Amino acid sequence: MRRPSLFLVAVLAGAGIFALTKLASPDRAASKPGAKASAVPTRARPVARPVRAAAAGKSFTFAATGDIAMVDSSESAGYFAGVARYLVGDVVMGNLEGTLTDRGSSKCGSGSSSCFAFHASPSYGQLLRSAGFTVLNLANNHAYDFGSIGQADTVATLDGLGLRHTGRPGEIAVLHVHDLRVALVGFAPYPWAQSLTDIAAAKRLVRRADALADVVIVTMHAGAEGSDHTHVMPSAEYFLGENRGDSIDFTHAVVDAGADLVAGSGPHVLRAMEWYHGRLIAYSLGNFEGAHTLSTAGILGISGILRVTLRGDGTWVRGNLLPVHLVGSGLPERDPAEAAHGVVRSLSREDFGSRGIRVSYTGVLSPPG
């Protein structure tokens, strides 16, 4: 759905009449961690774009996970064995934090102890397909770990398996589901990805996706990393000298431009979920698979699978967060303690107050009342 950030545009179908109404800017003053957030000032809701006849009354289920960092390992058969039964949906997306290649040169110098480059054999792409993934995000800091050759091999592997991908500059993946067109667009603050920090360009790309599809889903790789970065900051976040983007400015801008849901990754921890102008923003889904690659100690090992059902016009039907934890070397399993529910519930309330998503004790997600 198209929701311009500065003006409300109502199009009277067939009449060629446009009405422009000035919109107020959202209030970000109460987005500081620990502060009680005030409600966004009331503003007129953009008039819905006419839905195609084929899309009217349709709905689909979208599932998403956080970071997946695979390496060749004797444990590969168990990479997703503990969670594959839950990776179900019409569109199932993961953030592929690494490459599928046996070629190229690592970005890390020999003997480096503080640089990490991830790759697995192209044959490991079949693990993603068998687990249930249908689309992978390639907009992240490890997608270019083995240069252009590694990226090309990753893309070729996914294409050969019929897995869609998004995240490279200008790349829009459009999937056809139940007579619906679902567009997915990935962003990250790196030159090999569609830019997260150039918000004007991001809005243009989302509008382009909005013109191609009934529903637009944005995925972002944003924010500082680690167990001390669970809160969403109301400004640009920096990590290791890199500008990791202003998550709130970015997500609000792309929703205003037409995104119907935003699913984030990057901080390696779960973060808050916000309800913004009728759309869900999940700021980070944490780690998902990191056997011998990602740190999973403490909160770094608490994860989840986001599942949301949306109508053909992008509006909300239902959602839930299935709790996952990473065990052993970093393998995902369903978490019987359901820690993810409490983490996201608390962070959503602390970071966004009345705009925070509601998380029930069984993981049902509900818009704030």
Side-chain angles (χ1 to χ4, degrees), residues 99 101-108 117 119 144-150:
T99 58
T101 184
D102 290 323
R103 305 188 301 155
S105 299
S106 169
K107 68 180 182 182
C108 301
H119 78 101
Y144 217 72
D145 280 358
F146 285 79
S148 59
I149 292 176

Side-chain angles (χ1 to χ4, degrees), residues 4-19:
S5 58
L6 293 179
F7 293 92
L8 168 62
V9 182
V11 182
L12 303 184
I17 302 174
F18 293 81

Side-chain angles (χ1 to χ4, degrees), residues 180-337:
L180 297 174
R181 300 167 301 185
V182 181
L184 297 102
V185 192
F187 297 86
Y190 303 101
W192 52 84
Q194 179 62 38
S195 176
L196 176 89
T197 55
D198 187 343
I199 292 181
K203 291 168 66 175
R204 288 194 296 271
L205 187 61
V206 169
R207 291 191 187 107
R208 192 182 313 159
D210 192 33
L212 296 172
D214 303 295
V215 178
V216 178
I217 295 173
V218 164
T219 180
M220 66 172 182
H221 202 70
E225 299 181 13
S227 57
D228 55 345
H229 294 290
T230 56
H231 287 287
V232 181
M233 294 290 103
S235 59
E237 296 184 48
Y238 289 81
F239 187 72
L240 300 178
E242 295 177 348
N243 180 353
R244 297 289 183 92
D246 185 326
S247 296
I248 295 176
D249 268 0
F250 171 81
T251 56
H252 287 191
V254 295
V255 169
D256 288 337
D260 295 298
L261 185 148
V262 182
S265 63
H268 297 296
V269 289
L270 288 171
R271 281 188 167 187
M273 296 187 187
E274 180 188 14
W275 188 251
Y276 176 74
H277 294 153
R279 299 300 187 262
L280 174 68
I281 300 171
Y283 281 90
S284 175
L285 294 174
N287 292 326
F288 189 67
E289 185 284 319
H292 307 290
T293 53
L294 304 177
S295 174
T296 60
I299 198 167
L300 296 167
I302 299 174
S303 181
I305 300 172
L306 174 69
R307 294 190 68 207
V308 172
T309 299
L310 299 177
R311 297 185 182 89
D313 61 357
T315 55
W316 179 269
V317 178
R318 70 182 71 90
N320 73 283
L321 179 66
L322 186 132
V324 171
H325 64 164
L326 277 61
V327 300
S329 63
L331 300 177
E333 291 185 356
R334 195 184 193 288
D335 179 13

Side-chain angles (χ1 to χ4, degrees), residues 27-38 231-235 248 347-353 355:
D27 178 13
R28 296 183 56 215
S31 295
K32 296 179 180 179
K36 184 177 181 181
S38 60
H231 287 287
V232 181
M233 294 290 103
S235 59
I248 295 176
L347 290 172
S348 300
R349 181 173 58 246
E350 292 169 11
D351 287 3
F352 296 105
R355 303 199 308 274

